[in-house]
Amino acid sequence: MSAIALLLASSLALEPSAMLELPAGADPNEYVQATWLPAIAAEPVEVPAWQRYWRGDQTEHLDRPRWIRHTTGPRETKADLAARYGTDAKMLRQWNPKTLARKRKFLREGVELRLKATRVPPPREPITYVAREGDTWESVAVDHRVDVRDLKSYNNAANADSLDELAPERELLVWVDPAIPWTVNRFPGPEIDPAWLDIPQGALSHGHPNRGRIKGEPCQLPEIPQLYTRRFDRIAHGSSHAIEVIVTAFANFRRDTGYAGEIFVGSISRPHGRRFPPHRSHQSGRDVDIRVPMLPWFNTMIDPPPEQIDWRATWALIDAFLATGEVSMIFLDHDLQRHLYYAAMSMGVSAEELDEIITWPLRSGTKGKKIVRHSKGHDGHIHVRMKCGDNEPGCRTRRPWRPPPK
């Protein structure tokens, strides 16, 4: 053993002497008692503001709906209240015919409403936030998980640019929700079972998703309830490569986020691909429709209101697909991309990173088509298209050019 190794071993074996004394005049709170060496001040862990105010564990979950009264706050809508209390926005007007007689986007502030709730969370509350160097309307809104348009409205700055920097020490009124959904990155998820990734090989994508087929032995998405719910059997086939990507993405998503809600996987392809009405694509086994994750107190539906969708879980799932490096595009209605964008920012993704992924927002002209792009009809589900696998020579990313008919 070298001299350096012997010296290191002997130093590790030393125990602090019981006779060590605190230096004269020193503050005991600034020294480590075992050795009287100066303590190293640790930097405080910065947590998002919304977590500091979070009291969602105080939410009362009811076995059966109960009548309650709610006094409206600023910038509340019927859809907001329905999502908050686990009820139906259409019923609010029936329960309060006189109060809600007028059709308006935002409810009048300070109005008392009767409604049947299935959950009763702690009420929203106003706080004062003091702006720091580098803060913008957007960054403050994201940190508190409030809509940036609402934040500007609370502070009579509706026409301000969301990216405008705020003057340091400026005081802002923020209405925070202490019971905001916290469904991802709160608890650890299940470890990945290697058996999940044992996908039969031999099913190859051939041709273009809009004009193609699956060659070889059919490969069906395996039933793995811990990861997803397979909605259909006959149309849950794909290329071996695509099926492996789907299972891998879901396994990583569940493990990394701890999200426990049910997620439905819908159409992929027929056993051998080819035409698949009413879809124009889904022909070559590389496309999959996935229902967006819902907030825990709502059931999955075809066209859910945006307020009932768990956007943070939706982004985490998309991120898990992107992390595989095997995704060519994802379709989501452009109007819904705003919710996805800010959910991603609230989870630490920068605007610069998102500008390379999501088409929204078009801040200055056009950004071109990014991975997450608009396609009509994709408002209750995301459509994920995988790249061609390395061993799929007949797979095509674009349809061959054909001259127009004469």
Side-chain angles (χ1 to χ4, degrees):
M1 185 180 291
S2 67
I4 295 177
L6 284 170
L7 180 61
L8 178 60
S10 62
S11 65
L12 291 175
L14 286 176
E15 295 183 0
S17 170
M19 302 301 294
L20 286 176
E21 296 182 359
L22 184 66
D27 183 351
N29 295 321
E30 296 180 358
Y31 284 76
V32 179
Q33 188 173 5
T35 60
W36 296 128
L37 295 176
I40 300 174
E43 290 292 328
V45 177
E46 190 75 21
V47 297
W50 68 268
Q51 286 189 21
R52 295 197 298 271
Y53 293 102
W54 193 80
R55 302 197 313 277
D57 51 357
Q58 298 178 13
T59 298
E60 184 181 2
H61 299 274
L62 307 176
D63 294 331
R64 59 182 62 185
R66 186 178 78 201
W67 285 104
I68 67 167
R69 294 186 181 275
H70 171 86
T71 302
T72 56
R75 303 276 293 183
E76 287 187 334
T77 67
K78 292 191 290 292
D80 291 334
L81 294 185
R84 182 174 182 77
Y85 292 107
T87 188
D88 188 343
K90 295 179 181 178
M91 297 301 297
L92 283 172
R93 194 171 181 183
Q94 295 185 26
W95 294 329
N96 303 272
K98 294 182 179 179
T99 310
L100 301 180
R102 292 179 57 189
K103 291 184 178 180
R104 50 192 301 170
K105 181 177 180 180
F106 297 106
L107 304 174
R108 284 191 298 115
E109 189 175 348
V111 174
E112 188 175 80
L113 301 176
R114 293 177 68 249
L115 57 94
K116 270 188 175 181
T118 58
R119 59 191 303 275
V120 184
R124 290 199 307 158
E125 55 191 36
I127 65 165
T128 299
Y129 174 78
V130 180
R132 298 181 293 184
E133 188 75 34
D135 278 344
T136 65
W137 291 104
E138 189 172 76
S139 66
V140 174
V142 167
D143 195 35
H144 291 81
R145 283 186 67 185
V146 301
D147 193 298
V148 65
R149 295 172 298 191
D150 293 345
L151 177 65
K152 290 188 290 186
S153 178
Y154 301 151
N155 294 277
N156 300 316
N159 295 325
D161 190 299
S162 297
L163 298 181
D164 284 348
E165 285 202 15
L166 300 167
E169 305 302 320
R170 177 175 177 174
E171 293 187 351
L172 298 181
L173 171 65
V174 186
W175 278 82
V176 297
D177 183 355
I180 203 159
W182 189 356
T183 58
V184 297
N185 301 331
R186 186 179 173 202
F187 301 112
E191 287 301 317
I192 297 175
D193 185 345
W196 295 343
L197 305 178
D198 186 15
I199 306 299
Q201 300 301 304
L204 305 177
S205 177
H206 186 85
H208 188 271
N210 288 14
R211 189 181 178 87
R213 59 194 175 100
I214 303 173
K215 297 180 67 174
E217 189 70 23
C219 180
Q220 187 181 50
L221 180 73
E223 285 192 272
I224 309 177
Q226 301 95 318
L227 303 183
Y228 48 73
T229 298
R230 191 180 72 193
R231 288 214 59 202
F232 311 107
D233 295 337
R234 178 72 177 169
I235 56 177
H237 293 77
S239 70
S240 297
H241 173 67
I243 296 299
E244 191 169 2
V245 171
I246 294 170
V247 175
T248 299
F250 267 99
N252 289 333
F253 162 72
R254 295 290 189 180
R255 179 197 62 193
D256 296 343
T257 68
Y259 180 79
E262 185 176 35
I263 302 179
F264 290 97
V265 175
S267 302
I268 305 178
S269 291
R270 290 173 170 173
H272 295 284
R274 296 190 174 90
R275 290 192 63 215
F276 184 12
H279 303 282
R280 288 188 297 175
S281 59
H282 290 269
Q283 293 193 31
S284 63
R286 293 194 287 122
D287 298 86
V288 58
D289 288 340
I290 303 172
R291 289 284 169 200
V292 290
M294 303 290 289
L295 294 176
W297 50 95
F298 290 107
N299 295 322
T300 298
M301 61 179 71
I302 295 177
D303 295 312
E307 294 81 5
Q308 297 183 13
I309 297 173
D310 190 330
W311 288 108
R312 287 165 60 84
T314 302
W315 165 254
L317 179 60
I318 288 176
D319 188 43
F321 270 95
L322 297 177
T324 66
E326 298 296 331
V327 171
S328 63
M329 59 189 72
I330 297 174
F331 299 123
L332 178 67
D333 189 281
H334 192 267
D335 290 340
L336 298 180
Q337 290 182 27
R338 182 178 188 277
H339 301 277
L340 183 69
Y341 184 92
Y342 283 120
M345 288 192 73
S346 75
M347 296 173 70
V349 188
S350 70
E352 291 75 21
E353 292 172 305
L354 290 173
D355 282 343
E356 297 301 316
I357 299 171
I358 302 178
T359 306
W360 190 95
L362 302 179
R363 296 192 196 276
S364 55
T366 178
K367 295 198 304 188
K369 290 186 177 180
K370 302 300 179 181
I371 295 179
V372 178
R373 58 184 68 180
H374 170 75
S375 181
K376 186 178 179 181
H378 294 84
D379 47 10
H381 69 279
I382 57 173
H383 177 139
V384 182
R385 177 170 296 167
M386 267 63 71
K387 297 177 181 178
C388 297
D390 292 336
N391 64 336
E392 297 178 323
C395 180
R396 298 289 180 266
T397 56
R398 296 187 180 185
R399 295 179 65 176
W401 182 84
R402 296 173 183 270
K406 297 181 179 180

